[in-house]
Amino acid sequence: MSPEPGAENPLVTAVRAASWIRSAAVDDERGRHWRANPDPRGRAAMPDHPLSLYSGAAGIVLFFLELAAATGDQSYLVDARAGARYLTATWRDQADLSLHHGLAGVMFVLAEAGWATGDDSFEIEAGAVADHIARSARPIDGGLGWTGDPAQRGDGGIILGLLHAAGILGVPAYQELAVEAGARIATLVVPGHRFGEGACADLPLDAVTPGFLSGTAGTAFLLARLYGVTGENAFLGAARRGADFVRAVSTVTERCAMIPHHLPQGRDLHYLGFCSGSAGVARMFYELHRVAGDAADLDWVERLARGIAVSGVPARQTDGYWNAACQCCGAAGLLELFVGLWAATGRQTHLELAHALGANLIGRATGHDDQGSRWYQAYRRLRPWEVTADTGYMVGAAGIGAALLHLDATARPAEARRLILPPDNPFPAIPLPSATLRSS
């Protein structure tokens, strides 16, 4: 693929993505939100979550905050503030409490918006959301929780959001609640070991999912994070049980590892992306290494990364890496992984693959109507005829633009800046190896 004329670097493409997202803006008395798909006669892949971090206003605010930091263009902060005002005006109408689709994600973005803009009202509102989430906790199986689902899409993501709120808002009670809710999850024999019902409409009811967003790996990531926060061995032991299950069901060849999408039916279906594949599972093993220091966990991160590399991405498509560009299941999610791995390890091979993924995304950008860059993709693997271009973070242009900004930051050691990474991203917030920072 040849990139659009003049769009041969990540920053320029991210700016063009912002132009297209701006074309989808809707302003009213509540603030600003963005249509999920502004194309004439276009349909959105995820039309039903207008506030969410995954596909709605919260994720787009996150992108504009990062773009303002990357470019120095204060007009992007205007976009971010307008979107944050919309979140503050509408979050009380939202029932979903989860991180990616609900209020925990809104809370995270409002806190970051307050931090980046200096507007105390956003931090105050983030605290109001956190208080609402805290009041919504209920007794479940001898502990506390919200949904009963230990995965990142359920209680796991809510707990991660509360841990972030405790730190950025300075409220220890949020951490105390998060730890209490996590203690119930830590009692599970295999944390996050879930069956297909409710995990995905396309899965058999007896399927087990070892992946990140809806499965074992994401829950083990949460438990490792709780161990890092508390030092309590019960959390580390539970995280190890989850990691051991993932190891046991993985396909290992030489120095590579691949994760089955679901068991037993999908043992030979190996997703590569964030939601259910190697890129997400690698986050879990890296978090374990970060908090416990075991070299064997970092070895598994590298095994998963090699499995992705030898698959032939981004040039080659597979059953687990199809026509998808987004953060959730496509090239942008892999780009986040390899930028993070380079920052964590300094290994040049990781940066080289990150650049190849970035070039692929730049080449796939479309701007046929002079409105800016967007990415057409088949978000759902099982419905390849549904090709859409979305504005959101995990599913569309905002998240792809953010991943390109993170790649751009690796080339600017003298301008090192903090990236705004969601609570489920364990990699360094400054995307440069420490040796690079010392020498710059």
Side-chain angles (χ1 to χ4, degrees):
M1 289 169 287
S2 299
E4 295 180 60
E8 55 279 338
N9 74 67
L11 182 58
V12 168
T13 306
V15 167
R16 291 186 176 187
S19 296
W20 184 66
I21 293 168
R22 280 174 161 173
S23 77
V26 178
D27 290 314
D28 58 29
E29 68 281 358
R30 300 170 298 176
R32 180 175 300 164
H33 64 284
W34 296 266
R35 286 171 287 161
N37 185 330
D39 281 349
R41 299 179 300 281
R43 57 180 295 179
M46 295 287 292
D48 301 324
H49 302 276
L51 270 68
S52 72
L53 175 63
Y54 194 93
S55 58
I60 292 173
V61 169
L62 202 64
F63 171 54
F64 279 123
L65 290 173
E66 290 216 81
L67 192 57
T71 63
D73 185 340
Q74 296 301 296
S75 72
Y76 296 123
L77 285 183
V78 174
D79 294 282
R81 286 191 183 97
R85 285 196 298 273
Y86 177 81
L87 296 176
T88 64
T90 58
W91 70 261
R92 289 169 179 81
D93 301 327
Q94 170 68 264
D96 191 324
L97 301 177
S98 67
L99 178 64
H100 286 98
H101 295 301
L103 289 181
V106 171
M107 172 183 67
F108 160 69
V109 170
L110 283 173
E112 291 290 347
W115 183 275
T117 65
D119 190 329
D120 292 343
S121 69
F122 297 145
E123 292 189 18
I124 292 169
E125 207 67 26
V129 180
D131 290 341
H132 171 74
I133 293 172
R135 289 192 301 269
S136 301
R138 59 188 176 89
I140 298 178
D141 297 333
L144 284 179
W146 294 267
T147 68
D149 185 346
Q152 296 251 358
R153 64 171 186 185
D155 287 1
I158 296 170
I159 293 169
L160 283 176
L162 286 172
L163 290 175
H164 179 271
I168 197 169
L169 300 177
V171 182
Y174 301 149
Q175 179 174 308
E176 294 167 8
L177 176 59
V179 170
E180 186 175 358
R184 178 187 66 84
I185 296 173
T187 65
L188 299 175
V189 175
V190 180
H193 186 138
R194 298 282 294 181
F195 293 94
E197 185 175 8
C200 177
D202 297 318
L203 287 185
L205 295 184
D206 62 342
V208 176
T209 53
F212 195 78
L213 193 55
S214 300
T216 311
T219 307
F221 174 98
L222 165 71
L223 293 163
R225 176 67 54 84
L226 286 168
Y227 170 71
V229 168
T230 66
E232 295 180 11
N233 286 327
F235 288 123
L236 180 60
R240 288 275 176 229
R241 294 198 301 276
D244 288 346
F245 172 76
V246 172
R247 283 191 179 99
V249 301
S250 296
T251 299
V252 182
T253 57
E254 296 181 358
R255 298 289 295 157
C256 300
M258 303 289 282
I259 306 299
H261 180 263
H262 61 280
L263 299 164
Q265 304 89 345
R267 181 173 290 278
D268 296 325
L269 175 59
H270 300 127
Y271 274 34
L272 300 186
F274 157 80
C275 58
S276 302
S278 300
V281 175
R283 292 187 181 196
M284 179 268 288
F285 281 109
Y286 183 76
E287 181 71 3
L288 265 173
H289 170 72
R290 190 183 71 83
V291 300
D294 191 333
D297 294 317
L298 186 59
D299 177 69
W300 259 79
V301 176
E302 296 289 357
R303 285 175 179 268
L304 291 162
R306 286 191 203 95
I308 294 170
V310 301
S311 74
V313 300
R316 180 172 178 262
Q317 293 188 354
T318 69
D319 287 344
Y321 178 78
W322 61 98
N323 178 25
C326 63
Q327 288 250 8
C328 183
C329 47
L334 299 186
L335 177 55
E336 292 281 22
L337 171 67
F338 285 97
V339 166
L341 283 179
W342 179 67
T345 67
R347 294 189 177 179
Q348 192 65 23
T349 54
H350 294 321
L351 186 60
E352 289 169 0
L353 186 48
H355 278 294
L357 289 159
N360 177 267
L361 285 169
I362 292 168
R364 292 178 65 173
T366 299
H368 59 274
D369 54 6
D370 297 324
Q371 292 289 329
S373 293
R374 85 278 338 238
W375 287 262
Y376 290 93
Q377 61 177 355
Y379 169 70
R380 292 177 174 84
R381 182 183 67 87
L382 296 179
R383 303 179 205 167
W385 58 87
E386 292 183 2
V387 176
T388 64
D390 289 69
T391 56
Y393 194 90
M394 295 303 297
V395 72
I400 296 169
L404 290 172
L405 291 178
H406 301 166
L407 178 62
D408 174 74
T410 66
R412 303 175 188 271
E415 305 168 22
R417 62 181 185 269
R418 171 182 173 265
L419 307 182
I420 307 177
L421 303 179
D424 57 13
N425 189 324
F427 295 112
I430 298 178
L432 297 165
S434 56
T436 302
L437 290 171
R438 286 195 298 269
S439 62
S440 62

